[in-house]
Amino acid sequence: MKYIVVLADGMADNPIPEWDNKTPLMVANKPVMDELCAQGQTGLLKSIPVGLHPGSEIANMNILGFDPRKYFPGRGVLEAAALQVPIRDNELVFRCNLVTVADGKLMNHSAGHISNDEAGELITYLNEKLHTEGVRFHQGVSYRNLMMLEDGKTGVFCRPPHDHPGESLEDLLPDAEGAAEKTAKRLRLLIKHSIEILSEHPINKKRIKEGKAPANAIWPWSPGKPGGFPTFEERWGIKSGAVISAVDLIRGIGGMAGLENIYVEGATGLFDTNYEGKAAAAVNALKKVDFVFLHVEAADEAGHEGDKDLKKRVVEDFDRRLLKPLWQGIQGLHEDVALALLPDHPTPCALRTHTSDPVPFFIVKPGLTPDDVQSFDEFSVKEGAFGVLSDGEVLEKLFE
Ligand SMILES: [Zn+2]
């Protein structure tokens, strides 16, 4: 038996009043999803552990059976794993945003979504100017970069910049108690130095002239150290597996768990993603490995846009352009395949952000007697045979 999890990021939603209190999953035309759902067993999954925020990294780790309360290594470490950046033993790793500060306030978390080229130049400049302070930077995508701090101690408290737009810098700077206080102090100094040197950089002078937000500060956060993360094989006894995703954090989880990351050309993480390419890559991967985690981001982005019509279209594209060729491809394999499909969390269009509500799922597998649920959505699956599961239990049922 081979196994595939199809993860539709943010696809679950809330009832929409203009649609007679139906959700995008309920109004979308999705014959393949409904057919597979009818052939399988269904239920609801509590994918976010109580007390944790409903981030995709938390939900996906939890679904894959790695309890984020125990194993979450920090965003920086996950992204470093995705980018295959080697980390030294004495380094503390941070996600490091390029941000905009003005008048003593944190103005935005993305430096106006600065371009890769500009960010790359600034990251090189930061390395030149600040390497004597025991720090190195690695370019990621746009404002999302990495910072490694030599001899940094865990336990330092850093605030995520996207949660604090417009707030006073002094109140937001990293702090700590006890052993990590020295690290916090170094971080505060680094941020202040970065403001001094980045404010003078020609790229930022040009951006200001063009009416764009300057990238005039670094913002390190979500610190962590690699290590202690079990492999997928250790966790589940499954020998080989692959992750297909356009999202760094998800690739990072795959990398940490010892799964192979498969890159698909044209996989963007957006509505224009290469659905067919991802389906084909998954079928190919199933010929070689025992487990495939196929992650599709588009529905989440539609939810963040707050666009219900777009979300409905994403569900339909996903069904026709990804699920259909995927299932056809699976039928052509010489081996039985068990498939689970689920979102990681809801991203309701009305809220434009994630929630912690349970998500619908189905499993279709040879020998598994179908329950009575005929269509796949947030409400129909309440009648499903699996009832309400939590954490890594969908994978447990899939592998059973
Ligand atoms: Zn999201």
Side-chain angles (χ1 to χ4, degrees), residues 45-316:
L45 176 73
K46 292 181 180 168
S47 59
I48 310 289
V50 176
L52 293 192
H53 79 100
S56 281
E57 71 285 14
I58 300 293
N60 281 277
M61 276 186 66
N62 206 31
I63 287 167
L64 282 164
F66 303 107
D67 185 342
R69 287 161 291 200
K70 221 159 136 189
Y71 298 121
F72 184 64
R75 250 172 204 259
V77 169
L78 283 184
E79 290 179 16
L83 297 168
Q84 295 179 300
V85 180
I87 304 300
R88 297 168 199 141
D89 285 343
N90 66 341
E91 284 179 327
L92 189 62
V93 187
F94 299 78
R95 154 59 101 60
C96 184
N97 286 34
L98 289 170
V99 301
T100 306
V101 299
D103 307 325
K105 287 179 183 151
L106 178 63
M107 300 310 287
N108 84 54
H109 72 281
S110 68
H113 288 85
I114 188 165
S115 72
N116 286 335
D117 287 347
E118 289 171 306
E121 235 180 279
L122 294 178
I123 292 295
T124 305
Y125 186 67
L126 285 165
N127 274 326
E128 278 167 23
K129 292 283 182 186
L130 296 179
H131 74 273
T132 48
E133 298 183 36
V135 71
R136 66 186 175 106
F137 298 87
H138 188 94
Q139 190 187 359
V141 178
S142 176
Y143 63 93
R144 304 187 304 251
N145 301 285
L146 297 173
M147 186 182 103
M148 277 64 74
L149 185 69
E150 249 172 56
D151 302 320
K153 294 269 180 297
T154 52
V156 61
F157 185 64
C158 302
R159 291 152 186 90
H162 50 268
D163 286 344
H164 302 277
E167 292 180 31
S168 154
L169 274 186
E170 279 304 320
D171 298 343
L172 296 177
L173 290 171
D175 48 38
E177 279 168 22
E181 172 48 33
K182 215 172 122 191
T183 300
K185 194 171 168 195
R186 284 173 71 196
L187 292 171
R188 292 194 293 268
L189 272 175
L190 277 167
I191 292 174
K192 286 179 179 165
H193 285 171
S194 78
I195 296 173
E196 284 161 23
I197 62 173
L198 289 175
S199 298
E200 294 307 313
H201 196 280
I203 284 184
N204 281 326
K205 291 192 165 161
K206 182 158 170 274
R207 285 182 69 81
I208 290 170
K209 221 185 242 167
E210 291 168 349
K212 294 177 185 163
N216 56 7
I218 58 166
W219 200 268
W221 59 286
S222 199
K225 282 175 171 267
F229 207 98
T231 64
F232 199 73
E233 185 180 356
E234 284 163 351
R235 177 66 181 84
W236 294 107
I238 303 270
K239 285 215 160 31
S240 58
V243 168
I244 302 172
S245 173
V247 176
D248 275 349
L249 276 176
I250 307 297
R251 290 175 177 166
I253 295 168
M256 298 288 293
L259 299 168
E260 177 191 350
N261 272 303
I262 294 175
Y263 296 83
V264 176
E265 213 172 300
T268 56
L270 287 170
F271 331 114
D272 60 352
T273 194
N274 180 0
Y275 291 105
E276 294 85 356
K278 286 183 107 161
V283 174
N284 264 331
L286 282 170
K287 292 175 188 163
K288 290 172 232 151
V289 298
D290 297 326
F291 171 73
V292 172
F293 190 73
L294 175 58
H295 172 267
V296 186
E297 176 79 354
D300 182 59
E301 291 297 327
H304 286 298
E305 295 276 322
D307 187 336
K308 62 183 189 316
D309 297 307
L310 178 61
K311 193 158 181 186
K312 172 172 174 272
R313 199 189 87 203
V314 165
V315 174
E316 293 176 346

